């Protein structure tokens, strides 16, 4: 399949003198601006140099800062996990030479709550072990021992 030939362009009417004849396009600028010039290069002719930033950029957070916050929060929710994360954060902050107050707070809270949880688990196991041991001695039925009623079976 072939394309049809283009039609002839219209010829301007010479009877209308108010219409100026077409002119040639303007010449391109002598040196086009270079957009890919490296940093520190002089700006192209006719363009202003970029302005300095209006305010300084914030400094990045020291390593372990976010980890210490997460460790402190988790120390209240899941104490052993918060304790471990706080210890890791304290080590990272110590190596970076940053203050490690939140990490130490997470270590203290995590350690205290972990100890309380361990004591609670031990008491819970001891309590039910005593009940099961008493029922193993007494056998099935309802028993009154020293004012305490045991229902075994």
């Amino acid at each position: 399949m072939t394309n049809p030939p283009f039609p002839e362009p219209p010829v301007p009417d010479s009877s209308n003198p108010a219409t100026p004849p077409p002119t040639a396009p303007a010449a391109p600028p002598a040196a086009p601006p270079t957009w890919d010039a490296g940093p520190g290069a002089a700006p192209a002719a006719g363009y202003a140099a970029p302005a300095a930033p209006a305010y300084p950029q914030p400094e990045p957070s020291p390593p372990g800062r976010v980890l210490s916050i997460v460790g402190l929060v988790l120390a209240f929710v899941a104490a052993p996990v918060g304790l471990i994360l706080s210890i890791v954060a304290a080590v990272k902050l110590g190596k970076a030479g940053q203050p490690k107050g939140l990490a130490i707070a997470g270590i203290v809270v995590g350690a205290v709550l972990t100890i309380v949880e361990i004591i609670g688990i031990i008491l819970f196991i001891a309590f039910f072990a005593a009940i099961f041991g008493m029922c193993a001695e007494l056998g099935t039925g309802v028993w009154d021992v020293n004012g305490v009623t045991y229902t075994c079976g």
Side-chain angles (χ1 to χ4, degrees):
M1 178 174 187
T2 60
N3 292 333
F6 292 107
E8 292 292 323
V11 177
D13 186 14
S14 62
S15 64
N16 188 1
T19 308
T23 59
T34 56
W35 299 104
D36 59 349
Y47 294 98
Y55 54 89
Q57 297 295 324
E59 300 219 6
S61 177
R65 178 77 174 169
V66 174
L67 197 59
S68 65
I69 295 170
V70 171
L72 179 61
V73 170
L74 282 178
F76 289 103
V77 179
V81 176
L83 174 65
I84 292 169
L85 287 179
S86 295
I87 291 171
V88 171
V91 170
K92 283 188 176 186
L93 288 170
K95 286 181 180 178
Q98 298 293 323
K100 46 189 174 179
L102 284 176
I104 292 174
I107 291 171
V108 170
V109 171
V112 168
L113 290 180
T114 299
I115 291 170
V116 168
E117 286 177 5
I118 290 172
I119 291 172
I121 290 171
I122 290 171
L123 291 175
F124 181 79
I125 290 173
F127 176 74
F128 280 103
I131 291 175
F132 291 140
M134 184 61 75
C135 282
E137 284 181 28
L138 298 174
T140 58
V142 178
W143 302 94
D144 186 28
V145 178
N146 296 332
V148 179
T149 303
Y150 294 96
T151 304
C152 302

